[in-house]
Amino acid sequence: MSPSVMFPSTFEDVAAAVRQAKSQGLDLTVRCGGYSTAINPSGLVVDLSRNLSSVTIDAENQLAYVQGGCRFSQVEREAIKFGFAVPAGTVSDVGVGGLTTGGGYGWLSGEHGLTLDSLVSATVVLANGDIVEASATEHPDLFWGIRGGGSNFGIVVEFVFKLHSQRSDVYTTTLTYAPSLLPIVIQQINRWTRKQAPNEAGRLIFSTDSQGKPAVVFIGFKNSDATEGEAAFKGFAELGPLENASGMIPYEKLNTMLDSYNVPGHRLHWGLHLERLDLKPFKKALEGFTNLLSEHPEAASSFVSFEFYHYDKIASVPTEATAFAHRAPVYNALVTTQWEKAAFTAVAQAATRELADTIAKAASTDLATNIGYTNYADGVAGQNKTDTYSKLAFGANYERMQEVKKMYDPESVFSKWFAIQPAA
């Protein structure tokens, strides 16, 4: 049975859909930007992406009004026209709703923190169909909850972001190395992160080259001119890369650099946190990725990646200030498996977890408790028969989230992503 799909044109349409789903006992799913979607085949899908996807820039007050169906590429294109940016993710087609309510790591995190840290207010459709404003002064508990609590408290139909001044072009470098150079690449990453500036970020990716063989790719970013950018990543260029694509690009193109890694079809993310940059987890990750390609050619477009952000700005916000619970300095690791045919899904899921588990064990941690960045936790985010994973996701903030859940969604209408059990 195919789900019923509604394309609301107004906030009131969304409210009506929520009331309809609740009164008819329908399973409710919301589609925002559409980067990642979980749909119950017998329920109601409220798709915001078609008609609720406008961006309005208030340059005078440095605010961006962004409807819930937008992708961040739209925000970036509009904001930079006025010399501004909102800290987004690292791919252009990521939806504003999921990224913001789940956290929001990205190239600008070192300077401006998580995406949710730039959220000023939001318009939210609640489980009873009410439409409310959430901010530091209006429904502050709800505002606290949607900054890290995902879709658990309602449907955000509009976000208001603080805008940050942004130069029109930025420096990037993409360096491809032979897998045998991994040890010296990791050594250089350690040297670089020890003196990393807030306006620098990096990503290490294990993927395939044009011949389908494993490759090690480092992508560096500096929010600066070419002279400063080249100086920051000089050590990487001197390691003898097979390919070196470096230079200035328009800011709005920054989040398109990783788009080629995300291909149409089925996709599963499985993340974890690394506390140190020891060689062993990276070595095991590359070995495991190579084995994945050898054993499962269907997953040839898959990749493993590691993120490196300057953490001071992120960690400067107290853990209890928002629902987002993991602000201690860590490195995000991510296994992304991609495939075309649905028949391969069960095998892909098992292989993804196995590779993530291999990395976790090499880092002397346990995948059962180390679920990583919540927006990368596809493998466990929907396992909601108990609140075991929700407690891991929200840590010390979970009890307050239960209280907020009781206030705004006591019947658990919204329960797709790290579902929260309402307080008794």
Side-chain angles (χ1 to χ4, degrees), residues 117-164:
D117 293 330
S118 290
L119 186 64
V120 174
S121 64
T123 303
V124 186
V125 176
L126 302 179
N128 63 3
D130 288 351
I131 303 173
V132 302
E133 298 298 316
S135 68
T137 56
E138 297 181 89
H139 298 92
D141 287 320
L142 178 62
F143 186 56
W144 178 88
I146 63 174
R147 288 178 294 160
S151 56
N152 272 295
F153 304 108
I155 302 172
V156 181
V157 290
E158 185 172 65
F159 299 84
V160 182
F161 293 104
K162 175 185 177 181
L163 290 167
H164 303 273

Side-chain angles (χ1 to χ4, degrees), residues 111-378:
E111 294 180 274
H112 307 304
L114 302 171
T115 303
L116 62 81
D117 293 330
S118 290
L119 186 64
V120 174
S121 64
T123 303
V124 186
V125 176
L126 302 179
N128 63 3
D130 288 351
I131 303 173
V132 302
E133 298 298 316
S135 68
T137 56
E138 297 181 89
H139 298 92
D141 287 320
L142 178 62
F143 186 56
W144 178 88
I146 63 174
R147 288 178 294 160
S151 56
N152 272 295
F153 304 108
I155 302 172
V156 181
V157 290
E158 185 172 65
F159 299 84
V160 182
F161 293 104
K162 175 185 177 181
L163 290 167
H164 303 273
S165 296
Q166 175 58 46
R167 58 180 295 129
S168 62
D169 56 355
V170 298
Y171 179 84
T172 67
T173 182
T174 301
L175 304 162
T176 303
Y177 302 95
S180 60
L181 294 184
L182 179 63
I184 64 171
V185 172
I186 299 303
Q187 288 176 2
Q188 178 58 30
I189 290 175
N190 274 277
R191 285 192 291 267
W192 167 65
T193 55
R194 284 194 287 269
K195 58 181 181 180
Q196 182 180 4
N199 66 340
E200 297 172 9
R203 192 131 180 189
L204 183 70
I205 301 176
F206 301 154
S207 61
T208 55
D209 60 18
S210 57
Q211 283 75 46
K213 297 179 180 180
V216 174
V217 180
F218 177 80
I219 299 175
F221 156 75
K222 190 173 179 75
N223 202 1
S224 71
D225 60 24
T227 301
E228 292 183 14
E230 289 170 359
F233 298 106
K234 180 181 178 182
F236 291 93
E238 294 174 342
L239 297 181
L242 299 173
E243 297 178 10
N244 182 339
S246 304
M248 302 297 291
I249 63 171
Y251 169 76
E252 63 269 26
K253 297 294 184 181
L254 176 63
N255 274 356
T256 67
M257 291 196 304
L258 300 180
D259 285 0
S260 62
Y261 289 96
N262 296 297
V263 300
H266 302 276
R267 180 187 305 132
L268 177 65
H269 294 312
W270 204 303
L272 64 152
H273 286 143
L274 299 181
E275 295 183 356
R276 299 179 304 277
L277 300 179
D278 299 332
L279 175 60
K280 186 177 179 180
F282 295 94
K283 185 177 180 181
K284 288 294 183 180
L286 182 56
E287 290 175 357
F289 176 69
T290 302
N291 292 337
L292 174 69
L293 298 179
S294 175
E295 296 173 9
H296 305 294
E298 303 93 330
S301 61
S302 303
F303 60 93
V304 181
S305 63
F306 305 87
E307 301 174 350
F308 313 105
Y309 304 115
H310 190 285
Y311 236 88
D312 287 359
K313 186 68 174 180
I314 298 169
S316 69
V317 178
T319 300
E320 67 274 11
T322 69
F324 189 83
H326 300 286
R327 291 184 180 270
V330 291
Y331 304 97
N332 293 327
L334 173 65
V335 177
T336 299
T337 305
Q338 300 180 126
W339 64 100
E340 292 184 8
K341 298 179 180 179
F344 183 67
T345 298
V347 176
Q349 290 172 338
T352 306
R353 181 185 176 90
E354 181 181 358
L355 180 49
D357 190 49
T358 296
I359 300 170
K361 289 178 179 177
S364 300
T365 185
D366 188 342
L367 201 63
T369 56
N370 182 354
I371 63 172
Y373 172 35
T374 46
N375 273 345
Y376 289 168
D378 292 358

